[in-house]
């Protein structure tokens, strides 16, 4: 992933997911992780893992980066080929709303993510959350701080609970 000011995207994303895991572990929701340490399963392994499990939701957490530092905000990539009522666009909308509400980043909305392997090849509702831009100082401050990461994890957690509730599974 991206590197900004000596900070690696993979480390930010893992820290957010560790905070999210703490919240989810107390719910009784069965959760599987593609990684829980500084390993790097390739994208094919990640989506194959999800497809084999056939979970209700598949969420991937990332930090964005752009050539210009004036671009900021949270966006969520979705599978445009998944047109089901409770599909990728539905899940991505929920997660985008909840993360933006929790951490106060700009809402960049949902984005066609079919150029991303795990989005394009997922057989279940998938949402690839780009929590903020490492290249934007305001977003960088949020996504690298303990408080900001906690807010992001809370937003993703709220999105998961909301989605599972709407599905009648929580």
């Amino acid at each position: 992933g991206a590197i900004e000011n000596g900070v690696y995207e993979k480390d930010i994303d893992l820290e957010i997911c560790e905070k999210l895991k703490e919240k989810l572990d107390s719910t009784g929701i069965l959760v599987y992780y593609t990684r829980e340490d500084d390993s790097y399963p390739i994208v094919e392994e990640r989506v194959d893992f999800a497809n084999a499990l056939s979970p209700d939701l598949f969420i991937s957490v990332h930090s964005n980066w752009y050539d210009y530092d004036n671009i900021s905000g949270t966006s969520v990539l979705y599978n445009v080929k998944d047109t089901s009522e409770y599909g990728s666009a539905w899940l991505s909308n929920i997660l985008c709303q909840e993360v933006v509400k929790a951490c106060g980043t700009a809402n960049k909305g949902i984005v066609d993510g079919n150029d991303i392997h795990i989005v394009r090849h997922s057989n279940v509702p998938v949402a690839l959350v780009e929590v903020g831009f490492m290249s934007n100082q305001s977003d960088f401050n949020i996504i690298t701080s303990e408080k900001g990461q906690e807010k992001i994890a809370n937003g993703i957690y709220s999105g998961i609970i909301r989605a599972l509730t709407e599905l009648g599974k929580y």
Side-chain angles (χ1 to χ4, degrees):
I3 303 170
E4 185 70 31
N5 297 329
V7 178
Y8 290 79
E9 175 190 358
K10 67 183 180 94
D11 296 331
I12 295 169
D13 302 340
L14 184 58
E15 289 176 27
I16 292 167
C17 289
E18 287 171 347
K19 289 169 178 44
L20 177 60
K21 183 179 186 313
E22 288 177 22
K23 296 171 190 327
L24 290 169
D25 282 351
S26 67
T27 65
I29 297 169
L30 182 59
V31 180
Y32 295 92
Y33 299 89
T34 58
R35 73 179 181 115
E36 294 184 65
D37 55 24
D38 194 20
S39 60
Y40 186 78
I42 61 173
V43 293
E44 292 83 1
E45 291 172 332
R46 294 174 195 225
V47 75
D48 289 349
F49 178 70
N51 287 338
L53 291 169
S54 194
D56 295 314
L57 312 171
F58 180 20
I59 298 163
S60 187
V61 178
H62 297 268
S63 301
N64 218 333
W65 191 89
Y66 195 65
D67 287 333
Y68 303 104
D69 64 4
N70 63 333
I71 305 298
S72 66
T74 299
S75 60
V76 182
L77 285 67
Y78 73 102
N79 183 342
V80 296
K81 295 178 185 172
D82 180 356
T83 59
S84 59
E85 180 180 1
Y86 295 106
S88 186
W90 161 81
L91 175 60
S92 296
N93 267 312
I94 289 173
L95 285 168
C96 193
Q97 290 168 12
E98 295 297 330
V99 171
V100 166
K101 182 168 57 172
C103 63
T105 50
N107 186 342
K108 296 194 71 65
I110 65 170
V111 179
D112 176 347
N114 280 54
D115 60 336
I116 305 296
H117 185 86
I118 65 168
V119 174
R120 181 175 63 250
H121 291 282
S122 178
N123 296 331
V124 299
V126 62
L128 190 149
V129 182
E130 294 280 9
V131 297
F133 282 81
M134 294 176 67
S135 50
N136 176 274
Q137 191 61 54
S138 178
D139 280 7
F140 185 79
N141 292 343
I142 293 168
I143 66 178
T144 58
S145 73
E146 184 81 20
K147 184 178 177 183
Q149 291 172 354
E150 189 69 34
K151 287 179 178 182
I152 293 164
N154 284 336
I156 296 169
Y157 173 81
S158 295
I160 290 168
I161 299 302
R162 182 174 151 197
L164 290 173
T165 301
E166 288 184 22
L167 286 172
K169 299 195 175 196
Y170 186 76

